[in-house]
Amino acid sequence: MAIFQGAGVAIVTPMYEDGRVNYDKLEELLEFQISNGTDAIIICGTTGESSTLTHGEHLKTIKFAVDTVKKRVPVIAGTGSNCTETAVMLSREAASYGADALLVVTPYYNKATQKGLIAHYTTVAQAVPDTPIIMYNVPSRTGCNIQPATAVALAKNVKNIVGVKAASGDLSQIALTMSMADGCLELYSGNDDQVLPVLSLGGQGVISVLSNVAPRQTHDMVMKFLDGDVKGATEMQLKAIPLIKALFSEVNPIPVKTALNLMGMEVGPLRMPLCEMEEVNKEKLAEAMRNFGIKLA
């Protein structure tokens, strides 16, 4: 059984103006997502600025999400690191809090070989044998690409490595991976502009940035496809493209945090080295949101 089907939100980490994590606001965001049909919460991923959270903040934020959500939907904790020992530590802690699954990004900067990736993921998975793991492949950020044979070997040989968040943008690679997997690997789109193509290759859903601002629409788009309404789902995917483009006009999560603030959600600033959005891009983002039917504050 899949960890989830539908749209999981790669949720932002709200902050006060002084940079502290705003847990009261995070609770509001979690409730907003659940009440609007989101199928899973992905906490402390790239969109959650995990790379600039201290280990203490990272773990506290995961525990807060697990405790707040209370099993209403799955909570998937981002616990990857470019240090295998750190990834093991984060994964063990998140599992002990009751996270339903872990999202483990490929080691960034190190540029591990395929042999190294197998060793890394195997070591992390064996440290939390009862918790499912989704591998996160995003070469544009990490400089490291999980090749199809590697992904399939891990899924077949390590019992709790069950899925992959595919954010390479390479649909041919994704297709080859699923062809080789022959059903042993759950597939989630990591790109909001490729949700339907990935679903058509056997995907279960999306781990979505778009869901932060349009949770109901993203959920409905995936469910229409899974329920056989391909035409309706396609219309929704195409309608969302201008907004998705605006949400990635600068590096994620700059635009999506800006968008939430434009909606009056008051999620606060970004942590350096991320900075405020360029005004010209902010204006285009606001226009795309209005055109999509999102009410601005």
Side-chain angles (χ1 to χ4, degrees):
M1 183 176 177
I3 295 168
F4 76 95
Q5 282 191 318
V9 62
I11 201 163
V12 304
T13 301
M15 295 173 184
Y16 293 106
E17 288 303 317
D18 64 4
R20 291 178 298 123
V21 176
N22 184 342
Y23 291 102
D24 290 338
K25 182 60 63 174
L26 179 57
E27 182 176 6
E28 288 182 29
L29 296 179
L30 291 168
E31 295 300 335
F32 169 73
Q33 288 293 325
I34 292 170
S35 66
N36 281 280
T38 286
D39 300 288
I41 303 293
I42 293 79
I43 191 77
C44 292
T46 303
T47 309
E49 297 178 78
S50 57
S51 60
T52 53
L53 297 177
T54 67
H55 291 332
E57 289 172 326
H58 194 139
L59 293 172
K60 182 178 179 180
T61 302
I62 291 170
K63 188 175 190 305
F64 184 89
V66 171
D67 291 346
T68 301
V69 172
K70 294 183 173 67
K71 299 295 182 181
R72 287 175 287 173
V73 297
V75 173
I76 300 167
T79 57
S81 173
N82 68 331
C83 170
T84 303
E85 185 178 349
T86 300
V88 166
M89 180 274 292
L90 292 171
S91 298
R92 280 177 170 156
E93 286 295 312
S96 76
Y97 302 152
D100 297 284
L102 307 176
L103 180 68
V104 180
V105 71
T106 55
Y108 38 88
Y109 188 76
N110 312 62
K111 299 184 75 170
T113 63
Q114 299 302 301
K115 179 181 177 181
L117 288 175
I118 289 173
H120 173 80
Y121 276 109
T122 301
T123 299
V124 174
Q126 289 176 343
V128 286
D130 298 321
T131 305
I133 288 176
I134 300 173
M135 300 174 286
Y136 180 15
N137 192 37
V138 57
S140 64
R141 281 188 179 266
T142 65
C144 186
N145 185 20
I146 308 176
Q147 295 295 333
T150 301
V152 172
L154 283 163
K156 287 185 175 180
N157 294 316
V158 185
K159 71 178 181 67
N160 59 321
I161 293 180
V162 301
V164 62
K165 175 185 176 183
S168 68
D170 185 344
L171 291 171
S172 294
Q173 176 176 303
I174 296 167
L176 178 58
T177 301
M178 295 306 287
S179 173
M180 295 174 66
D182 194 25
C184 77
L185 196 61
E186 295 172 19
L187 173 65
Y188 297 95
S189 175
N191 290 335
D192 284 308
D193 62 349
Q194 295 183 336
V195 179
L196 263 61
V198 170
L199 290 175
S200 73
L201 294 171
Q204 301 289 335
V206 59
I207 294 177
S208 171
V209 174
L210 176 65
S211 284
N212 279 279
V213 298
R216 177 63 64 184
Q217 295 93 324
T218 312
H219 163 86
D220 287 351
M221 175 177 65
V222 176
M223 287 308 172
K224 278 182 181 292
F225 185 94
L226 294 177
D227 290 341
D229 184 4
V230 176
K231 183 175 185 293
T234 301
E235 290 172 355
M236 294 186 76
Q237 172 82 88
L238 296 178
K239 181 182 177 183
I241 292 297
L243 176 55
I244 294 165
K245 183 178 179 182
L247 285 170
F248 289 90
S249 59
E250 293 187 20
V251 69
N252 180 52
I254 292 173
V256 71
K257 262 197 160 178
T258 303
L260 286 164
N261 287 330
L262 286 170
M263 293 168 65
M265 303 288 273
E266 298 180 355
V267 299
L270 299 124
R271 281 194 178 171
M272 291 178 67
L274 299 183
C275 61
E276 295 306 307
M277 196 171 187
E278 296 285 351
E279 196 61 35
V280 63
N281 291 331
K282 184 176 179 180
E283 291 172 4
K284 291 177 181 177
L285 173 62
E287 180 182 6
M289 292 170 71
R290 284 190 291 265
N291 291 339
F292 194 71
I294 295 173
K295 186 177 179 181
L296 305 189

